[in-house]
PDB file of all heavy atoms in Angstrom:
ATOM      1  N   SER A 248     -10.617  14.613  -3.781  1.00  0.00           N
ATOM      2  CA  SER A 248     -11.390  14.355  -5.003  1.00  0.00           C
ATOM      3  C   SER A 248     -12.873  14.365  -4.653  1.00  0.00           C
ATOM      4  O   SER A 248     -13.270  13.853  -3.602  1.00  0.00           O
ATOM      5  CB  SER A 248     -11.019  12.997  -5.609  1.00  0.00           C
ATOM      6  OG  SER A 248      -9.650  12.931  -5.930  1.00  0.00           O
ATOM      7  N   THR A 249     -13.689  14.893  -5.543  1.00  0.00           N
ATOM      8  CA  THR A 249     -15.129  14.914  -5.336  1.00  0.00           C
ATOM      9  C   THR A 249     -15.836  14.281  -6.532  1.00  0.00           C
ATOM     10  O   THR A 249     -15.285  14.228  -7.640  1.00  0.00           O
ATOM     11  CB  THR A 249     -15.659  16.351  -5.150  1.00  0.00           C
ATOM     12  OG1 THR A 249     -15.499  17.071  -6.389  1.00  0.00           O
ATOM     13  CG2 THR A 249     -14.914  17.074  -4.043  1.00  0.00           C
ATOM     14  N   LYS A 257     -20.274   7.602  -7.015  1.00  0.00           N
ATOM     15  CA  LYS A 257     -19.393   6.526  -6.565  1.00  0.00           C
ATOM     16  C   LYS A 257     -19.839   5.135  -6.994  1.00  0.00           C
ATOM     17  O   LYS A 257     -19.216   4.142  -6.631  1.00  0.00           O
ATOM     18  CB  LYS A 257     -19.231   6.583  -5.049  1.00  0.00           C
ATOM     19  CG  LYS A 257     -18.301   7.694  -4.590  1.00  0.00           C
ATOM     20  CD  LYS A 257     -17.992   7.540  -3.117  1.00  0.00           C
ATOM     21  CE  LYS A 257     -16.950   8.530  -2.678  1.00  0.00           C
ATOM     22  NZ  LYS A 257     -16.614   8.333  -1.244  1.00  0.00           N
TER      23      LYS A 257
END
Side-chain angles (χ1 to χ4, degrees):
S248 301
T249 67
K257 284 190 173 182

